[in-house]
């Protein structure tokens, strides 16, 4: 049976001033603290240039490693470009940081099997990203026909043991946007895995009950999924609550409440198939608040706090560490981090925005009060 879970807008209600004061005056509950192995972020957009410099520290503060998405302009389509991008990330990092960016290649119709061999040898590439052409931000150079055009590359990925990281949505404009993940599973992912059962696949940022069932039906260790804070906490009502909410718009788009509940149940069950991937995707405010706003939610400053709230609400805080810090490295065949991080039950207010010389970035749950804070130990 599904556990009773808090509704998305209870989270938002926590931010009312009345509630905060009440908590401070009357709460006799001692502060709860959890020490966990340092988490990694298995799906992150770090961008480049000024934006990279602006956002890198919010990830480096909490996470040991991150799988860095390659959807720059131009996209990262070669091992050489991945290496150069990794160097620019290292340069942008605060001096004392131990954060390690794990790089990815952007798959195109033109990617050749040799590039996969070079990528493996480079030692910096940990996955190849499939963007169906036109599915999301900077996906215009993506794949038009996966099985028709990319089979030799996918076969080489099996040989080199490099996982395919999937943006799992079809792009056919006649398919309803809320059905695009389900249709992708049926028409692309299932045939792909029938053809190449040895291919390792991460379904990134899953949003539906259908994706949960699909991942659970696959061979453990071969198919896994990352899950974002927004798809655990918000349903599609959050896009329209009191008016259009561009800062809750990401792709794949938020879904119905039943899907959110299925994802919460899956991640809090303790299954090894699901792990943390924020999909933190910063865009400058003016690119979100405009007539044709970009998809993407900047959540890295709040992500750990929000994941902790989800697990607490489900009565599953004992399963949090596996989701944040074990399942990801185990799937990728990498060592778990040895450093620790502390999560403390303490209220803090998310800034309304972060200001930089080039503009503002509005984080997820801007101005709201959250219940957990992350501290390094
Ligand atoms: C991402 C971005 O902005 O790069 N946007 C998003 O809504 N998640 C791209 C992506 O992961 O789909
Ligand atoms: Zn993404």
């Amino acid at each position: 049976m599904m556990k009773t879970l808090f509704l998305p807008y209870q989270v938002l209600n926590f931010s009312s001033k009345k509630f905060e004061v009440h908590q401070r005056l009357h709460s006799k509950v001692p502060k709860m603290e959890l020490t966990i192995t340092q988490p990694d972020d298995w799906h992150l957009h770090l961008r480049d240039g000024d934006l990279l410099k602006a956002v890198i520290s919010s990830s480096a503060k909490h996470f040991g490693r991150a799988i860095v998405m390659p959807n720059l302009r131009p996209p990262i389509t070669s091992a050489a470009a991945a290496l150069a991008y990794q160097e620019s990330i290292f340069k942008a990092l605060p001096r004392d940081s131990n954060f390690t960016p794990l790089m990815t290649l952007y798959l195109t119709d033109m990617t050749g099997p040799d590039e996969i061999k070079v990528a493996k040898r480079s030692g910096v590439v940990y996955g190849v990203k499939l963007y169906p052409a036109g599915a999301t931000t900077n996906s215009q150079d993506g794949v038009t026909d996966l099985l028709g055009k990319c089979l030799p590359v996918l076969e080489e990925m099996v040989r080199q043991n490099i996982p395919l990281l999937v943006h799992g949505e079809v792009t056919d404009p006649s398919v309803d946007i809320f059905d695009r993940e389900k249709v992708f599973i049926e028409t692309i992912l299932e045939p792909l895995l029938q053809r190449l059962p040895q291919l390792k696949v991460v379904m990134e940022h899953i949003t539906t009950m259908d994706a949960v069932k699909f991942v659970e039906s696959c061979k453990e260790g071969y198919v896994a999924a990352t899950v974002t804070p927004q798809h655990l906490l918000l349903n599609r009502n959050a896009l329209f609550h009191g008016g259009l909410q561009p800062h809750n718009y990401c792709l794949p788009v938020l879904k119905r409440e039943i899907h959110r509940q299925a994802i919460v149940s899956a991640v809090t069950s303790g299954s090894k198939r699901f792990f943390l991937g924020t999909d933190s995707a910063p865009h400058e405010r003016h690119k979100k608040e405009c007539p044709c706003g970009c998809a993407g939610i900047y959540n890295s400053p709040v992500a750990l706090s929000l994941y902790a709230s989800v697990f607490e609400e489900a009565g599953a805080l004992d399963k949090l560490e596996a989701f944040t810090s074990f399942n990801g490295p185990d799937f990728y065949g990498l060592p778990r981090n040895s450093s620790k991080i502390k999560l403390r039950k303490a209220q803090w207010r998310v800034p309304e925005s972060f200001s930089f010389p080039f503009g503002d970035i509005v984080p997820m749950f801007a101005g709201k009060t959250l219940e957990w804070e992350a501290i390094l130990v």
Side-chain angles (χ1 to χ4, degrees):
M1 246 233 337
M2 187 80 66
K3 285 183 192 137
T4 314
L5 298 167
F6 66 125
L7 289 169
Y9 281 98
Q10 279 176 279
V11 173
L12 302 188
N13 290 340
F14 284 154
S15 65
S16 85
K17 284 274 171 308
K18 233 167 152 186
F19 183 84
E20 280 172 47
V21 173
H22 177 82
Q23 281 287 299
R24 277 197 212 114
L25 293 180
H26 301 292
S27 174
K28 292 205 176 65
V29 188
K31 280 222 168 94
M32 211 188 327
E33 266 186 13
L34 285 175
T35 301
I36 60 167
T37 301
Q38 187 171 31
D40 302 301
D41 185 348
W42 299 96
H43 182 126
L44 174 65
H45 299 269
L46 282 176
R47 314 303 193 200
D48 54 5
D50 285 345
L51 209 44
L52 165 64
K53 291 188 194 112
V55 300
I56 180 83
S57 57
S58 66
S59 289
K61 215 160 88 180
H62 296 154
F63 297 99
R65 295 165 287 194
I67 284 277
V68 179
M69 289 297 123
N71 61 333
L72 302 186
R73 294 186 94 153
I76 305 297
T77 54
S78 67
L83 194 62
Y85 183 28
Q86 190 188 45
E87 273 164 23
S88 65
I89 297 169
F90 277 128
K91 274 201 195 120
L93 274 170
R95 276 250 178 95
D96 55 346
S97 175
N98 290 323
F99 179 81
T100 306
L102 310 174
M103 310 313 290
T104 57
L105 285 194
Y106 185 116
L107 187 63
T108 73
D109 290 348
M110 252 78 84
T111 310
D114 284 351
E115 197 58 53
I116 303 300
K117 289 185 196 150
V118 178
K120 183 69 179 194
R121 256 184 276 131
S122 76
V124 303
V125 174
Y126 289 82
V128 174
K129 177 73 191 227
L130 165 64
Y131 289 107
T136 188
T137 310
N138 293 346
S139 64
Q140 53 277 16
D141 300 308
V143 171
T144 60
D145 177 6
L146 184 68
L147 279 172
K149 299 208 163 131
C150 302
L151 204 54
V153 170
L154 296 165
E155 286 166 346
E156 191 57 41
M157 287 167 60
V158 173
R159 284 192 284 276
Q160 301 294 338
N161 193 26
I162 296 189
L164 181 70
L165 316 181
V166 169
H167 183 108
E169 289 190 291
V170 290
T171 54
D172 179 348
S174 69
V175 177
D176 189 288
I177 192 162
F178 294 101
D179 297 333
R180 287 183 188 177
E181 187 171 274
K182 181 178 186 319
V183 176
F184 181 90
I185 292 168
E186 291 162 357
T187 60
I188 301 195
L189 215 42
E190 284 176 348
L192 169 68
L193 290 171
Q194 263 160 26
R195 185 78 189 254
L196 290 176
Q198 303 300 314
L199 183 68
K200 280 181 97 156
V201 172
V202 183
M203 261 202 96
E204 303 287 351
H205 41 51
I206 56 164
T207 64
T208 58
M209 182 187 279
D210 311 278
V212 167
K213 284 192 189 143
F214 173 74
V215 170
E216 284 173 344
S217 74
C218 293
K219 223 174 351 160
E220 195 176 288
Y222 283 89
V223 178
T226 58
V227 183
T228 74
Q230 56 267 25
H231 294 108
L232 288 168
L233 281 161
L234 301 174
N235 65 35
R236 65 193 196 178
N237 287 350
L239 290 165
F240 309 109
H241 182 75
L244 203 54
Q245 299 291 337
H247 298 290
N248 289 339
Y249 173 51
C250 65
L251 286 170
V253 73
L254 299 169
K255 303 294 192 299
R256 279 181 185 278
E257 177 62 9
I258 47 162
H259 293 295
R260 187 192 73 82
Q261 289 184 6
I263 299 167
V264 172
S265 290
V267 304
T268 57
S269 70
S271 165
K272 285 188 69 63
R273 300 166 197 261
F274 303 96
F275 41 86
L276 186 160
T278 63
D279 194 18
S280 185
H283 294 277
E284 289 167 49
R285 182 200 285 273
H286 73 94
K287 292 191 175 154
K288 297 284 294 172
E289 299 176 9
C290 62
C292 187
C294 294
I297 296 179
Y298 178 49
N299 64 23
S300 55
V302 295
L304 269 188
S305 168
L306 295 179
Y307 285 121
S309 292
V310 170
F311 278 74
E312 182 189 23
E313 196 61 34
L317 275 175
D318 59 323
K319 310 262 177 26
L320 178 66
E321 186 180 31
F323 174 76
T324 60
S325 318
F326 297 162
N327 300 348
D330 293 357
F331 180 86
Y332 276 85
L334 294 170
R336 297 172 180 179
N337 291 323
S338 51
S339 45
K340 303 277 177 195
I341 194 165
K342 212 179 258 183
L343 292 166
R344 184 168 54 194
K345 187 94 194 271
Q347 295 190 337
W348 63 284
R349 195 161 179 277
V350 183
E352 293 288 351
S353 68
F354 296 95
S355 294
F356 303 97
F358 60 83
D360 278 9
I361 308 174
V362 178
M364 183 177 173
F365 283 1
K368 304 290 184 282
T369 298
L370 304 189
E371 295 292 303
W372 288 87
E373 68 178 356
I375 339 156
L376 283 182
V377 287

